[in-house]
Amino acid sequence: MIDVCAQEKNQMSSITKALAGIAAAIESVTETEIVSLKLALGRVLAEPLYSTINSPFDRNSAMDGYAFSSTDLIPEQETSLTQVGCSWAGQPFQGRLQAGQCVRIYTGAVLPAEADSVIMQEQVQINGSIISLPTQTKGQEHIREIGEDIKQGDLVCSANKKITAIDLGLLASTGIDSVVVKRKVKIAFFSTGNELTALGQTLESGKIYDSNRYLLTGLLNDPCYQVTDLGVIADDPQQLEDCIVAAAKNHDLIISTGGASVGDADFIKEVLVRCGKVDFWKIAIKPGKPLAFGKINDCHFFGLPGNPVAVIVTFQHIVTPALEQLSGIPMSQPLHFVAKCSSVLKKSPGRQEYQRGILSQDTNGELLVSSSGQQGSNILSAASAANCYIVLPIECDGIQPGETVRIELINNIVNSVISH
Ligand code: AMP
Ligand code: MG
């Protein structure tokens, strides 16, 4: 007797294999554009950025206090200094310090050339212009040295880095006000299915609202992407072909949802075989097994499953790495944690499952996870309640409460852990 399940298992590939295929097939966009720093958040740097200045530019104070020379400190005794001026942030002391003198100084203010130390204002005694430093005063403290953050000529950000909010601050600190970034990746997406109904219309029996285009609108919300929503295309090979061929002319990637499996109304395969090159992957994951990956001329194509939760899982694990590759950033790997599971999780061996879970942390810092509800690939409510995937390996045949499981945060959607 033929073991159909075993046969199918052999034909299924792993995520690792799929990602290797993507890495080999996709090249980053090469065109660049210049954007002002304020518009650079989330964009990908096309070239390395070096600093033309030292940061800090001057030797300055890390505290509000008094600047002095450590050579004035009298060992084992209080030291009294005469205050002869003030150095404000943005308005340095203009004079020179003689032996036995100090200046009032504020955080960020330039240190007089003769000073090498700052004492906090809370630690001194003030008597008119006489400032007394306690016996245990250490010299050479609370100073920010020239270039201690970034030296002139240092690499500030490397090419292919996706600019973060912190990078904006860093780049601004070195005076960089515009950057050369890779152009946006042009992505078109559509839903397919005769049952799909537009929002605003009354639902008739047998129909459903089209969730996937809204899901994709959210998932594709990234400053690196320029997104076109192509709407709903009927289960009609000619309409699908017309849509795909037209979109392929001016996009880097087309994403469809639905119609990619082997039902009678699933035409994505037929159309792609006709107008491009396509691979059909049965990736051994649940949800999300059937997936088409192909190319129409220079445009890449992902045919994702129709069920919304399968869209979420395949988007994060397959499409996101492809988009990273297209945008020009290194492919990321999901971070894995280990948590104690408090739910019974049903599973049959054969596929790696991404069950939706709720991750929390107890007062001792231990990570706990529970199922977020029904695990059907159409169950959006439990996916919405989740903040993580519980990743159950291929061979796992279920989990009992108290067992430890591997978890992964649901990227782009939530990244917080609930604490008790
Ligand atoms: P298919 O892959 O076209 O057979 O679709 C699988 C399941 O996903 C079916 O129950 C479809 O009704 C559902 N589905 C397909 N497209 C969408 C969509 N855009 N929004 C919500 N559900 C969908
Ligand atoms: Mg369909």
Side-chain angles (χ1 to χ4, degrees), residues 192-193 195 235 259 266:
T192 173
E195 73 278 34
D235 287 318
D266 294 330

Side-chain angles (χ1 to χ4, degrees), residues 122-162:
E122 296 83 348
Q123 292 176 350
V124 301
Q125 296 249 327
I126 305 166
N127 188 358
S129 62
I130 303 302
I131 311 297
S132 299
L133 282 49
T135 313
Q136 67 278 15
T137 303
K138 286 193 208 128
Q140 302 179 357
E141 281 194 324
H142 310 311
I143 306 293
R144 297 164 173 172
E145 297 295 346
I146 291 173
E148 71 175 16
D149 187 3
I150 299 278
K151 291 192 178 43
Q152 189 176 17
D154 271 358
L155 178 69
V156 186
C157 282
S158 39
N160 303 328
K161 184 168 204 276
K162 195 171 169 77

Side-chain angles (χ1 to χ4, degrees), residues 22-77:
I22 286 169
I26 294 183
E27 282 177 11
S28 155
V29 295
T30 49
E31 297 93 331
T32 61
E33 57 187 344
I34 299 174
V35 293
S36 77
L37 193 61
K38 275 202 171 166
L39 296 176
L41 182 64
R43 301 297 300 273
V44 178
L45 276 176
E47 19 183 82
L49 291 172
Y50 297 92
S51 181
T52 56
I53 59 161
N54 285 310
S55 175
F57 194 63
D58 296 292
R59 207 148 153 261
N60 68 83
S61 177
M63 294 285 172
D64 290 339
Y66 293 84
F68 61 97
S69 165
S70 57
T71 55
D72 284 338
L73 289 173
I74 307 167
E76 321 284 325
Q77 271 187 41

Side-chain angles (χ1 to χ4, degrees), residues 111-374:
L111 225 69
E114 300 77 20
D116 65 356
S117 311
V118 169
I119 183 165
M120 289 163 72
Q121 60 191 24
E122 296 83 348
Q123 292 176 350
V124 301
Q125 296 249 327
I126 305 166
N127 188 358
S129 62
I130 303 302
I131 311 297
S132 299
L133 282 49
T135 313
Q136 67 278 15
T137 303
K138 286 193 208 128
Q140 302 179 357
E141 281 194 324
H142 310 311
I143 306 293
R144 297 164 173 172
E145 297 295 346
I146 291 173
E148 71 175 16
D149 187 3
I150 299 278
K151 291 192 178 43
Q152 189 176 17
D154 271 358
L155 178 69
V156 186
C157 282
S158 39
N160 303 328
K161 184 168 204 276
K162 195 171 169 77
I163 299 173
T164 64
I166 297 169
D167 295 331
L168 293 183
L170 172 67
L171 294 169
S173 76
T174 65
I176 292 171
D177 64 353
S178 65
V179 289
V180 183
V181 294
K182 304 230 180 194
R183 74 150 166 85
K184 294 188 181 204
V185 176
K186 292 181 237 166
I187 305 158
F189 64 86
F190 64 88
S191 294
T192 173
N194 290 342
E195 73 278 34
L196 300 179
T197 302
L199 297 188
Q201 293 189 356
T202 309
L203 210 54
E204 289 168 13
S205 176
K207 306 274 180 150
I208 57 168
Y209 285 123
D210 173 11
S211 330
N212 289 348
R213 280 190 303 125
Y214 292 85
L215 199 50
L216 282 176
T217 301
L219 292 169
L220 290 166
N221 184 7
D222 185 298
C224 280
Y225 310 151
Q226 183 184 309
V227 175
T228 316
D229 181 349
L230 299 171
V232 176
I233 313 295
D235 287 318
D236 174 88
Q238 194 54 53
Q239 285 184 43
L240 284 169
E241 182 170 339
D242 292 348
C243 166
I244 291 172
V245 169
K249 291 191 177 123
N250 48 12
H251 291 90
D252 303 299
L253 175 68
I254 301 171
I255 303 171
S256 70
T257 65
S261 45
V262 287
D264 288 343
D266 294 330
F267 298 114
I268 290 289
K269 178 173 182 174
E270 173 189 326
V271 169
L272 277 184
V273 167
R274 239 193 348 256
C275 64
K277 282 186 243 145
V278 66
D279 269 343
F280 285 88
W281 289 345
K282 283 184 179 161
I283 301 175
I285 56 171
K286 186 179 175 186
K289 187 170 60 171
L291 195 99
F293 175 55
K295 214 168 174 191
I296 307 102
N297 300 319
D298 289 332
C299 178
H300 297 283
F301 182 93
F302 275 114
L304 302 186
N307 278 307
V309 183
V311 172
I312 302 169
V313 171
T314 49
F315 187 92
Q316 176 165 342
H317 295 92
I318 308 290
V319 182
T320 299
L323 286 170
E324 289 169 341
Q325 181 96 352
L326 266 172
S327 322
I329 54 174
M331 266 194 201
S332 64
Q333 296 268 351
L335 273 181
H336 287 140
F337 307 87
V338 170
K340 191 152 96 184
C341 185
S342 57
S343 312
V344 172
L345 304 178
K346 286 192 192 149
K347 179 181 182 298
S348 310
R351 288 197 268 166
Q352 173 155 296
E353 288 197 16
Y354 291 88
Q355 299 206 4
R356 278 68 69 203
I358 298 174
L359 180 66
S360 61
Q361 197 164 32
D362 69 14
T363 44
N364 297 323
E366 188 180 12
L367 291 176
L368 308 169
V369 69
S370 59
S371 169
S372 71
Q374 290 184 68

Side-chain angles (χ1 to χ4, degrees), residues 394-415:
I394 292 183
E395 63 285 356
C396 168
D397 61 357
I399 294 291
Q400 292 302 316
E403 288 187 57
T404 52
V405 288
R406 198 153 63 100
I407 56 138
E408 195 182 287
L409 297 180
I410 304 184
N411 285 351
N412 303 335
I413 304 175
V414 275
N415 48 20

